[in-house]
Amino acid sequence: RRRRRSERAIFFWRDGFKTGPLPAPFGRFDVVAMKIGWYKLWFWTKSSHYNADEEVYHDPPLIFDVLNDPAEAYPLDPDKHDDLIR
């Protein structure tokens, strides 16, 4: 289905990035994902909070159809969903 312009974006924030103004283990807060309709776009991923894993930046973002893939296990092809990332 095509995205409607009236769909509201929901932003997901997290802390724990290595760089930032806050003392360890907090680092900085940043937007890591957003949801538009049934689609969720991940810009940053990390295995869990407050561990030594490096955060991974995704460009283009990982895109999931959370209605049909609620576990977010199968990223969609970003070339087929460029209307979400323009």
Side-chain angles (χ1 to χ4, degrees):
R1 96 182 164 92
R2 297 208 42 99
R3 182 173 66 92
R4 292 178 292 150
R5 295 206 184 276
S6 63
E7 290 177 336
R8 176 177 62 160
I10 299 171
F11 296 93
F12 296 82
W13 293 76
R14 72 166 290 163
D15 60 353
F17 286 88
K18 292 193 182 293
T19 61
L22 301 174
F26 305 106
R28 77 169 197 268
F29 290 88
D30 212 337
V31 172
V32 294
M34 69 183 284
K35 185 174 172 290
I36 303 173
W38 295 115
Y39 296 101
K40 189 170 180 185
L41 291 76
W42 281 94
F43 308 106
W44 292 93
T45 55
K46 186 175 176 177
S47 65
S48 69
H49 285 290
Y50 312 129
N51 64 14
D53 289 358
E54 291 289 324
E55 50 278 333
V56 177
Y57 179 69
H58 301 281
D59 184 19
L62 300 175
I63 303 171
F64 296 93
D65 177 346
V66 295
L67 179 64
N68 295 306
D69 179 20
E72 300 175 19
Y74 305 101
L76 302 174
D77 182 350
D79 291 334
K80 294 181 181 176
H81 298 279
D82 65 339
D83 63 319
L84 292 170
I85 55 179
R86 277 189 270 153

